[in-house]
Amino acid sequence: MFDSRKIEDLLQDDASIYDYAVVLRSSASSRPRYVAYVVPTGVPSVARITSRLASTLPKRQMPYAVLAVSNLPLTPSGCVDESSLCKLAVIDDKLVQRWRDAALEIL
């Protein structure tokens, strides 16, 4: 399995992404796969982010999913809390409010 650095490099260079985490997730029914969690700077476009990754990464290196979240949970030491991250609702109230705020700015 490859490491997540190529995915992380592309996410870091995306101005529409405020923060991100790439986590290797596995289940009993499938092989381990990377999931990219992104905190967008405004109205998120997961399709655009996924398309950008697909235009650069080989298919086998694409994350299984790109999920927009309002924030990344942190441990007391400031590291991303992966176990809490996997439990987050993908679309939550904070994210919806940020979408509304961004849409009002456009109008």
Side-chain angles (χ1 to χ4, degrees):
M1 172 143 270
F2 65 96
D3 65 41
S4 62
R5 281 181 279 181
K6 287 185 179 184
I7 300 168
E8 292 167 348
D9 289 346
L10 291 169
L11 296 175
Q12 181 177 0
D13 291 341
D14 191 322
S16 73
I17 298 173
Y18 172 74
D19 204 359
Y20 63 88
V22 180
V23 177
L24 187 61
R25 294 187 57 182
S26 59
S27 68
S29 63
S30 69
R31 62 180 174 78
R33 300 185 234 192
Y34 285 108
V35 175
Y37 294 89
V38 297
V39 178
T41 56
V43 178
S45 176
V46 171
R48 189 197 59 74
I49 294 167
T50 302
S51 175
R52 181 168 180 263
L53 292 173
S55 71
T56 306
L57 294 171
K59 186 173 182 167
R60 65 179 180 81
Q61 291 185 342
M62 279 293 294
Y64 175 71
V66 176
L67 306 173
V69 295
S70 63
N71 63 355
L72 299 177
L74 302 177
T75 64
S77 63
C79 297
V80 174
D81 186 342
E82 291 183 12
S83 62
S84 293
L85 187 62
C86 295
K87 296 174 188 172
L88 280 180
V90 175
I91 298 177
D92 60 21
D93 293 338
K94 289 179 186 176
L95 185 55
V96 171
Q97 185 60 48
R98 285 177 40 195
W99 288 342
R100 287 184 186 138
D101 293 345
L104 289 174
E105 288 178 12
I106 293 170
L107 300 174

